[in-house]
C-alpha cells in the first residue's frame, strides 16, 4: 500500500543526500511537490502515480542542488561573499585570540588571589564554551526566521541588549561593590560573556536564514 | 517545445511579468506559464526555485510564507520596485528584438 508521507520522506532524504539544504529550500520544494501531487490526484491519477509524475517533474536532486549553488554565487553581494568566506574564520580567530590574550594577562597579573585567578580562568572557559555552543545550537534550537523584518528586529534587540548590559555593568554594577583590583578584572571577564555570545547568536541566525530564505 | 537557452533567457522577465499581476507561489507560476505557452514553455519544476532565490537576492522580488486555504504553508512571491523597473527594461529589449526579427526577411 502506497504511503504518500513515507514517499515524501524518502524524496526529502534524496534531496538532503544530494546537498539540498533543509529546512530551506527543501520546505519550499516539498510544498511544490505536494501541490503537484494534489493537482494530479484531482485529475484522476492514483496517489502513487501522481507522486511519481510530480517528483519526476521536479527534477533530479543533484541538478537542483547545482542550480541553487549557481544562484547563490550570483546573488551574493561581494561584501557578503567575503563575509561568508572570511568572516567566520575572523570571528573564530578573534575569540581564540581573546582567550589566549586574557589567559596571559591573568597569568601575569600579580594582584589576583588564587581564588580570583581560578574564577578568571573559569570565565574564559565559559566564554569559549558559550560561543562554541551558540555556534552549534542556535540553528538547532531557534526556528529559521522567514520574515526579514522580524529578523532585523531580533538582531537589533540583540545589539541593544548587548549595549544595555555593557552600560549597566560599567555604570551600575562595578561602582556599587568594593571589588579588589583583581576582582574588577574577574567581574569584567564574566560580564564579557553575553557581549561576546550575542554577535555569535545573530551571525549564526543570519547565516541560517540566508542558507535558506528571506522575506 | 521552446529551446532550453531561450527558456533560460526569458525566465526572469516572465516571472517578473507574472508577479506584476499579483502575488503568487512557485507551483502556480509554473502552471500559469505552461498554460499561457500551450505547454511549450517547459522546464523541471525544481529549477524555478534557484531562479526565484537569485531574483530575490538581487532585490527584484520579495517573498513571505503564508497559510493557503488548504492550511498548508506556501511561500508567496511579489515584485519589488526594482523588479518593476527591471521588467520595463526587459520589455523594451524583447520588443526591440521582436521588431528587428519581424522586420528582417518578412514572409
Amino acid at each position: 500500500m502506497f504511503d504518500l508521507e513515507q514517499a515524501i520522506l524518502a524524496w526529502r532524504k534524496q534531496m538532503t543526500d544530494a546537498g539540498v539544504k533543509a529546512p530551506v529550500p527543501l520546505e519550499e520544494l516539498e510544498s511544490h511537490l505536494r501541490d503537484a501531487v494534489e493537482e494530479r490526484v484531482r485529475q484522476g491519477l492514483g496517489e502513487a502515480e501522481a507522486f511519481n509524475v510530480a517528483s519526476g517533474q521536479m527534477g533530479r536532486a543533484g541538478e537542483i542542488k547545482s542550480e541553487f549553488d549557481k544562484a547563490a554565487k550570483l546573488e551574493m553581494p561581494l561584501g557578503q561573499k567575503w563575509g561568508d568566506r572570511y568572516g567566520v574564520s575572523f570571528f573564530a580567530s578573534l575569540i581564540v585570540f581573546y582567550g589566549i590574550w586574557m589567559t596571559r594577562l591573568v597569568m601575569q597579573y600579580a594582584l589576583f588571589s588564587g581564588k580570583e585567578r581560578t574564577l578568571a580562568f573559569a570565565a574564559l572557559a565559559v566564554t569559549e564554551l558559550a560561543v562554541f555552543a551558540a555556534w552549534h545550537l542556535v540553528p538547532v534550537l531557534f526556528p529559521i526566521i522567514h520574515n526579514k523584518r522580524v529578523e532585523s528586529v531580533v538582531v537589533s534587540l540583540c545589539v541593544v541588549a548587548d549595549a544595555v548590559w555593557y552600560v549597566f555593568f560599567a555604570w551600575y554594577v562595578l561602582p556599587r561593590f568594593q571589588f579588589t583590583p583583581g576582582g574588577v578584572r574577574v567581574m569584567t571577564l564574566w560580564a564579557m560573556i553575553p557581549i561576546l555570545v550575542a554577535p555569535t547568536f545573530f551571525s549564526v541566525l543570519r547565516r541560517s536564514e540566508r542558507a535558506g530564505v528571506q522575506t | 517545445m521552446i529551446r532550453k537557452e531561450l527558456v533560460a533567457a526569458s525566465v526572469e522577465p516572465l516571472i517578473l511579468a507574472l508577479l506584476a499581476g499579483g502575488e503568487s507561489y512557485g507551483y502556480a507560476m509554473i502552471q500559469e506559464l505552461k498554460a499561457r505557452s500551450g505547454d511549450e514553455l517547459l522546464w523541471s519544476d525544481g529549477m524555478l526555485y534557484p531562479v526565484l532565490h537569485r531574483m530575490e537576492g538581487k532585490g527584484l522580488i520579495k517573498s513571505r510564507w503564508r497559510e493557503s486555504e488548504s492550511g498548508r504553508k506556501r511561500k508567496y512571491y511579489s515584485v519589488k520596485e526594482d523588479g518593476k523597473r527591471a521588467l520595463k527594461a526587459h520589455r523594451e529589449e524583447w520588443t526591440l528584438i521582436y521588431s528587428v526579427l519581424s522586420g528582417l526577411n518578412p514572409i
Side-chain angles (χ1 to χ4, degrees), chain A residues 23-25 27-32 34-40 43 54 56-60 63-64 67-68 70-72 74-75 77 146-147 149 212-215, chain B residues 25-31 34 42-59 61-65 68 70 72-77 80:
Chain A
V24 181
E27 295 301 323
E28 191 179 13
L29 294 171
E30 184 187 325
S31 168
H32 181 108
R34 287 181 184 275
D35 279 330
V37 171
E38 280 172 14
E39 176 77 25
R40 282 166 178 84
Q43 288 168 355
Q57 181 61 33
M58 185 66 92
R60 283 203 290 269
E63 286 173 0
I64 295 174
E67 289 301 313
F68 267 110
K70 278 190 225 163
L74 287 171
E75 82 185 33
H146 293 300
N147 188 300
R149 268 186 210 153
V213 262
Q214 46 191 230
T215 301
Chain B
Y25 56 96
Y27 184 75
M29 281 188 249
I30 285 187
Q31 293 310 107
K34 276 181 189 169
L42 295 174
W43 70 88
S44 298
D45 291 7
M47 298 302 166
L48 174 71
Y49 294 93
V51 178
L52 288 171
H53 284 223
R54 188 183 72 220
M55 289 171 69
E56 193 172 11
K58 283 162 72 179
I61 57 174
K62 60 183 177 179
S63 65
R64 66 186 178 117
W65 284 88
S68 62
S70 63
R72 224 161 17 80
K73 280 196 165 182
R74 284 200 188 108
K75 196 177 181 188
Y76 283 80
Y77 293 88
K80 290 172 77 172

Side-chain angles (χ1 to χ4, degrees), chain A residues 73 76 79-90 207:
Chain A
K73 276 179 199 157
M76 209 182 273
Q80 193 174 308
K81 274 185 192 167
W82 276 70
D84 271 16
R85 194 171 296 169
Y86 302 113
V88 176
S89 320
F90 176 75
R207 284 172 62 80

